[in-house]
Amino acid sequence: MAADTRDSTSAKQPQTSSAMTEPKAKTYDTFNYPATKENKDSLPGAAPNTVVGKQTEPGVVDALKTIKLQDFKEVHKKPCTREGFLAGIGAAFAVGGVRAILGAPIFTACNWAVGAFAFGSFAMHEYCQGKRRREKEGIQKVNAALLEKKIKEEMKREEIRRARRKAKEESGQ
């Protein structure tokens, strides 16, 4: 291949904004491949060039670094978490207890209880989230209807005002 004959000192470097060259702060954004010094020909957001060198994608360790102790201290403040945990505890007690009473070994009954807890918690959490979503959509519909009603009432009042002004002008002449 022929060598590049362009003079790198005379060519103007295009100005790039800092938003294009700085990586995003979120480590779990796996599609963020910022241009680096060793890979300056790549575009921000483009897949890495395997010839120059591959950037490492965020993995499990990077994801675990984003978890803070404060997240666990405030888990009860998240919506639907309480309902999910309570349903999971109830399911675990019921399934594990029934399995133990029916003569399954304790270890097997405990495994079933853990599985029932996980499934029950997940199912109740998703049910609660769906219920909240439907409530939110209902509230949005009510708000839209109230706004529409308010606009119609305001238009009606404006028509009445115009009619009064017109009647007043005709009586005044």
Side-chain angles (χ1 to χ4, degrees), residues 2-170:
D4 192 0
T5 58
R6 292 180 289 178
D7 185 13
S8 62
T9 58
S10 64
K12 287 187 176 180
Q13 295 288 333
Q15 294 180 346
T16 59
S17 66
S18 62
M20 289 177 57
T21 58
E22 293 177 7
K24 293 182 180 177
K26 298 177 182 176
T27 58
Y28 53 86
D29 188 4
T30 59
F31 298 107
N32 180 25
Y33 294 105
T36 59
K37 288 180 182 177
E38 56 272 350
N39 191 6
K40 56 187 164 191
D41 293 333
S42 70
L43 296 172
N49 186 353
T50 56
V51 175
V52 176
K54 186 174 182 178
Q55 286 184 325
T56 59
E57 292 184 9
V60 176
V61 175
D62 295 326
L64 290 176
K65 287 179 184 177
T66 64
I67 299 173
K68 302 176 193 98
L69 181 62
Q70 191 68 21
D71 295 338
F72 292 105
K73 289 181 179 178
E74 296 181 356
V75 72
H76 64 282
K77 295 180 182 178
K78 305 287 185 213
C80 298
T81 304
R82 181 178 181 270
E83 292 86 356
F85 280 144
L86 289 175
I89 290 168
F93 183 75
V95 171
V98 168
R99 291 285 297 172
I101 290 171
L102 292 178
I106 295 296
F107 189 72
T108 304
C110 289
N111 284 341
W112 276 83
V114 169
F117 172 78
F119 179 76
S121 296
F122 175 75
M124 185 60 179
H125 187 269
E126 288 302 311
Y127 173 75
C128 181
Q129 289 291 336
K131 193 168 84 171
R132 290 183 77 233
R133 207 172 305 123
R134 288 189 300 275
E135 286 176 2
K136 189 175 182 179
E137 289 170 0
I139 289 171
Q140 288 175 345
K141 287 179 183 178
V142 168
N143 284 341
L146 288 174
L147 182 62
E148 186 177 322
K149 183 178 177 183
K150 186 177 180 181
I151 290 171
K152 285 182 181 180
E153 287 177 359
E154 188 63 35
M155 290 174 63
K156 194 174 183 180
R157 283 189 209 128
E158 189 62 33
E159 285 180 31
I160 293 171
R161 286 185 200 132
R162 286 185 195 146
R164 285 182 185 165
R165 286 182 193 142
K166 188 175 182 181
K168 190 175 182 181
E169 288 175 3
E170 288 177 1

